[in-house]
Amino acid sequence: MKELLEQIARSLVDHPESVSVTEVEEENELILELRVAADDMGKVIGKQGRIAKAIRVVMKAAAVNEDRRIVVEIVQ
Amino acid sequence: MAELGVPADRVRITVLEEGKSGILGFGAKNAVVEVSYEETIRDRILAFITPLLDSMGISPDIEITEGEEQVTVKMNGDNSGIAIGRRGETLDALQYLTSLVVNRQSESYTRILMDVSDYRLKREETLVRLATRVAEKVVKTRRNITLEPMNPYERRIIHSALQGYKDVETGSIGEEPNRKVVVRSTRGGYADGPVNPAPGQNRGGFAEDGANRQGYGGEANRMAANRLPYADGSGNRAGDANRAGDANRAGDANRAAYSGRSGQYGSASPQANPNSYRNRSTERIGYAGNPTASGSVIKPDEPVYKPFDIEDEIGEQP
């Protein structure tokens, strides 16, 4: 899941080398904290969060075989 | 070529210096060439979606057709429903992200159209059927019907399905992502209220209701500049009385501003004058629990009326 989110984010940003994802284990859910270069924030959030929403939707579908919920958080 | 690990039919070779075989192998020289490899749209799409599909646990056949301005990606395979999602949500997200990836750092714009197991085709058929059914109802009852929110692609299907349909016209109200298609009667007609309301009664009811609206005078004036000249459905206002009893609206703080207009409705004739305000309302749509709509000012139009059985029909999955 971590690698997948990194791959999606790297395909969208101008500075793929600055993309990193940290996994935070919670009870019944896995939080994926996505970090990108400051000037790439817009590239993963989008107008009215449209890109962020699309990322969450595909990640949710990709997590179908996981036994826990996947939460994608974009952090500064 | 094998050394570089790229397909031979995808490389461009430019000869910089001709080779020489020399004389009797003496003075032989290798040719100097420049080999360039261009990543095609096809490569980019596949590189992006394949890991995603893998994670979803599916490996559909992928057919990519490249056109001038549009690239279609068709996927077919078992269990591919996971890539469609509820009402095509996952498919739309996948298509949107793919188009961002393809068009990133590109001067021209290539439209990406993605489909899984002909979902879009079937959805289009469903929408066209729905459009016709709603239009029939609008013609019969002369009441406007507002459909549930749809994306631009789906709204366009409804608009074009009803383009040549007699006695109705279509428009859109609201803002993304809650923009909705309204199907209106172009033959005068009644209201968005109950069937065959007695016009007098309804206007009376509206007048009573008018008191509630006085407070929104400022809003009404502000919005006046944005009014759209819809001349149809002259009886629209007649339905206002019924709204008082409508749970969606009665308690809705965001609701419409009709301030100062009451007088006009009293003398309204059924035929609309396009320049009068009679047919227009400045309205805020605020369904409870809808974060986008609440508080945002919606383009003035007919009152949004939740269609009766429409909502469920439209959600149906092919």
Side-chain angles (χ1 to χ4, degrees):
Chain A
M1 284 298 112
K2 178 181 185 286
E3 292 73 26
L4 187 67
L5 181 58
E6 280 172 351
Q7 186 257 331
I8 295 172
R10 287 202 178 106
S11 319
L12 296 167
V13 300
D14 291 333
H15 309 286
E17 69 284 355
S18 305
V19 169
S20 72
V21 173
T22 331
E23 290 179 313
V24 182
E25 307 269 352
E26 295 270 320
E27 205 181 329
N28 297 325
E29 63 182 33
L30 174 67
I31 301 171
L32 298 173
E33 294 182 343
L34 171 64
R35 283 179 182 78
V36 299
D39 55 334
D40 273 336
M41 285 299 268
K43 292 267 166 69
V44 290
I45 294 175
K47 268 187 210 151
Q48 294 174 333
R50 201 175 160 202
I51 301 174
K53 186 173 174 261
I55 292 175
R56 291 192 175 108
V57 169
V58 296
M59 285 301 291
K60 206 171 112 188
V64 68
N65 294 322
E66 297 275 315
D67 50 0
R68 55 195 167 167
R69 219 161 68 91
I70 299 285
V71 179
V72 176
E73 279 176 11
I74 298 164
V75 291
Q76 286 274 2
Chain B
M1 280 318 108
E3 260 176 66
L4 294 168
V6 293
D9 57 345
R10 207 72 69 60
V11 296
R12 183 176 301 155
I13 299 170
T14 321
V15 179
L16 299 178
E17 208 177 301
E18 295 282 347
K20 283 180 191 159
S21 53
I23 303 153
L24 302 168
F26 190 73
K29 222 174 159 189
N30 276 335
V32 179
V33 297
E34 184 186 77
V35 180
S36 59
Y37 171 62
E38 260 183 282
E39 192 192 39
T40 62
I41 286 181
R42 187 192 181 82
D43 299 328
R44 272 204 236 178
I45 293 174
L46 287 173
F48 182 71
I49 62 174
T50 310
L52 274 163
L53 298 172
D54 283 349
S55 294
M56 293 177 193
I58 53 173
S59 45
D61 292 331
I62 305 173
E63 189 191 314
I64 299 177
T65 318
E66 291 182 54
E68 282 277 300
E69 291 156 355
Q70 181 172 309
V71 175
T72 52
V73 183
K74 282 179 173 256
M75 294 178 261
N76 275 296
D78 295 338
N79 305 319
S80 48
I82 180 76
I84 298 172
R86 193 180 138 266
R87 291 195 204 172
E89 186 187 45
T90 308
L91 177 58
D92 286 341
L94 209 53
Q95 175 179 293
Y96 178 54
L97 292 177
T98 307
S99 100
L100 290 176
V101 170
V102 167
N103 289 299
R104 207 173 67 82
Q105 296 171 331
S106 161
E107 277 169 33
S108 60
Y109 179 77
T110 309
R111 212 159 87 102
I112 302 291
L113 209 74
M114 204 176 264
D115 203 354
V116 173
S117 304
D118 287 331
Y119 167 79
R120 292 205 195 279
L121 203 71
K122 290 173 193 160
R123 175 80 175 148
E124 181 172 343
E125 288 167 7
T126 308
L127 288 171
V128 169
R129 269 201 312 273
L130 169 87
T132 323
R133 208 160 45 212
V134 166
E136 279 166 13
K137 205 166 200 163
V138 168
V139 168
K140 212 166 85 189
T141 64
R142 299 195 190 177
R143 283 181 292 147
N144 305 337
I145 293 179
T146 304
L147 304 180
E148 72 161 27
M150 286 176 207
N151 64 33
Y153 174 81
E154 296 192 341
R155 288 200 309 272
R156 190 163 51 208
I157 292 173
I158 303 275
H159 289 309
S160 47
L162 296 182
Q163 203 155 41
Y165 203 97
K166 207 166 171 275
D167 300 333
V168 299
E169 64 173 22
T170 57
S172 296
I173 54 162
E175 272 159 48
E176 299 287 359
N178 285 301
R179 210 158 153 75
K180 305 159 189 183
V181 174
V182 192
V183 184
R184 303 187 196 96
S185 165
T186 50
R187 297 190 59 204
Y190 303 108
D192 292 338
V195 182
N196 296 337
Q201 259 181 354
N202 281 288
R203 290 199 188 105
F206 173 67
E208 277 169 35
D209 206 21
N212 286 334
R213 292 168 175 157
Q214 296 297 327
Y216 295 93
E219 185 66 40
N221 292 334
R222 191 163 67 73
M223 287 302 295
N226 292 327
R227 275 195 191 96
L228 290 182
Y230 281 116
D232 61 295
S234 53
N236 285 339
R237 286 292 75 71
D240 286 337
N242 301 301
R243 286 221 227 133
D246 183 327
N248 265 338
R249 296 178 169 279
D252 187 346
N254 291 320
R255 89 189 232 264
Y258 299 99
S259 146
R261 299 258 153 68
S262 311
Q264 291 189 34
Y265 301 111
S267 59
S269 73
Q271 281 313 306
N273 169 357
N275 293 319
S276 89
Y277 288 130
R278 196 175 346 108
N279 296 315
R280 302 164 206 166
S281 59
T282 54
E283 178 152 6
R284 286 172 162 225
I285 303 171
Y287 293 115
N290 184 336
T292 319
S294 72
S296 70
V297 179
I298 303 299
K299 220 187 289 171
D301 203 318
E302 288 72 22
V304 174
Y305 201 81
K306 273 292 197 185
F308 339 40
D309 43 324
I310 303 307
E311 219 180 336
D312 292 324
E313 289 169 14
I314 197 154
E316 74 190 31
Q317 295 266 2

